[in-house]
Amino acid sequence: MLSVRKTFIAGNWKMNLSRAESVKLTQALTAAFSADSAVEVAICPPSVYLDAVAAIVRGTSIGLSAQNMYHEASGAFTGEISAAMLTDIGCQYVILGHSERRHILGETNSTVNQKVQAAIKGNLTPIVCLGETLEEREAGSTGTVIEQQFDGSLAGLTSEQVAQIVIAYEPVWAIGTGKVATPDQAEEVHADLRRLLESRYNSSVASNVRIQYGGSVKAENAAALLTQPNIDGALVGGASLQAESFLGIISAAA
Ligand code: 13P
């Protein structure tokens, strides 16, 4: 079956880089990335640098993503940022439910779900992250954990809404550890996610929603992962902080 899913590579900078470094990296990426690429690319700078980065990517084919947002539209929510604020400064995407937010900052499937709903309502494409810990994998509960995160994070969405999201499978044990999932390990979970999309929604949603893999993706291991039938892109952490390594992953995807 011919896939309609455009490969999507996103660079999650997390809480790294200065303003000057963010600008320099963005300039290097826009200079090297060609508009007619077969790959969709987005970068996800820290929120305080989104505006500076937006000014550089505007009019290029590099997309802009936030790393988080709050589900309320406005009001007394000190420190939080709304979907409307993100679209206002030029974001098209927002990462939601990243494992660091789930495990370090206390986000639950229910709070992730509120954010996913608000992001879609606010015309942002949510990159919804899920993934098991090492303990869960070793206990043989990867499938159950993924299913619970999937159902909880997407609760209440219509098929039309789910068709607009991107899913990122990020096994927690592979994030920032250098211990990448093997292509077979990743493909197994991606295929399960594809089956969940089909059973909970429909075959059109299942064949259109892109599922990125994240966790120690590098230029050297990207091609083996991205040639798996159900791996449609990558959510890259450490290797997205330097132009050369991030561009290497984009080349491997193309
Ligand atoms: P690393 O690529 O640094 O392992 O991070 C992956 C990740 O968490 C991307 O969101």
Side-chain angles (χ1 to χ4, degrees):
M1 194 177 74
L2 198 65
S3 170
V4 291
R5 301 186 295 271
K6 186 171 186 178
T7 303
F8 179 28
I9 308 293
N12 176 10
W13 298 359
K14 308 190 180 182
M15 198 173 76
N16 290 298
L17 305 179
S18 66
R19 187 180 200 280
E21 288 165 338
S22 299
V23 165
K24 196 166 160 228
L25 173 55
T26 308
Q27 284 167 338
L29 295 175
T30 52
F33 183 64
S34 89
D36 60 0
S37 169
V39 181
E40 188 171 320
V41 171
I43 48 179
C44 324
S47 56
V48 287
Y49 304 137
L50 280 169
D51 217 9
V53 168
I56 304 166
V57 297
R58 194 166 294 132
T60 75
S61 46
I62 295 187
L64 188 64
S65 175
Q67 299 176 13
N68 179 38
M69 54 165 259
Y70 195 57
H71 68 275
E72 293 285 357
S74 65
F77 304 105
T78 302
E80 297 296 330
I81 299 171
S82 71
M85 290 171 181
L86 295 178
T87 54
D88 191 21
I89 59 158
C91 288
Q92 298 92 30
Y93 314 86
V94 59
I95 299 174
L96 294 175
H98 191 281
S99 74
E100 286 143 19
R101 298 212 57 87
R102 290 177 186 265
H103 295 289
I104 305 171
L105 294 145
E107 291 199 9
T108 63
N109 287 327
S110 152
T111 56
V112 174
N113 179 242
Q114 288 179 299
K115 294 180 181 202
V116 173
Q117 306 233 19
I120 292 174
K121 210 167 137 204
N123 293 316
L124 283 166
T125 298
I127 302 173
V128 184
C129 303
L130 32 76
E132 82 287 2
T133 62
L134 184 60
E135 211 174 22
E136 290 162 343
R137 173 161 283 264
E138 287 176 344
S141 53
T142 298
T144 321
V145 169
I146 297 295
E147 189 169 335
Q148 281 167 354
Q149 291 180 341
F150 179 95
D151 286 333
S153 306
L154 305 184
L157 298 185
T158 64
S159 300
E160 289 72 23
Q161 290 174 322
V162 175
Q164 297 169 43
I165 71 166
V166 172
I167 294 175
Y169 168 55
E170 298 204 310
V172 179
W173 48 271
I175 297 177
T177 58
K179 203 174 153 198
V180 64
T182 66
D184 286 347
Q185 280 175 323
E187 172 59 21
E188 190 183 359
V189 176
H190 282 236
D192 280 347
L193 283 165
R194 190 83 58 206
R195 279 189 286 274
L196 278 173
L197 286 165
E198 166 117 41
S199 75
R200 303 291 197 265
Y201 305 97
N202 56 52
S203 58
S204 153
V205 169
S207 60
N208 282 294
V209 169
R210 288 170 303 175
I211 310 174
Q212 296 176 315
Y213 166 80
S216 298
V217 175
K218 310 255 174 300
E220 302 78 51
N221 59 29
L225 289 159
L226 293 167
T227 45
Q228 296 298 313
N230 289 294
I231 301 184
D232 310 311
L235 185 54
V236 184
S240 70
L241 296 174
Q242 273 165 359
E244 196 185 338
S245 49
F246 192 53
L247 289 165
I249 293 169
I250 296 169
S251 302

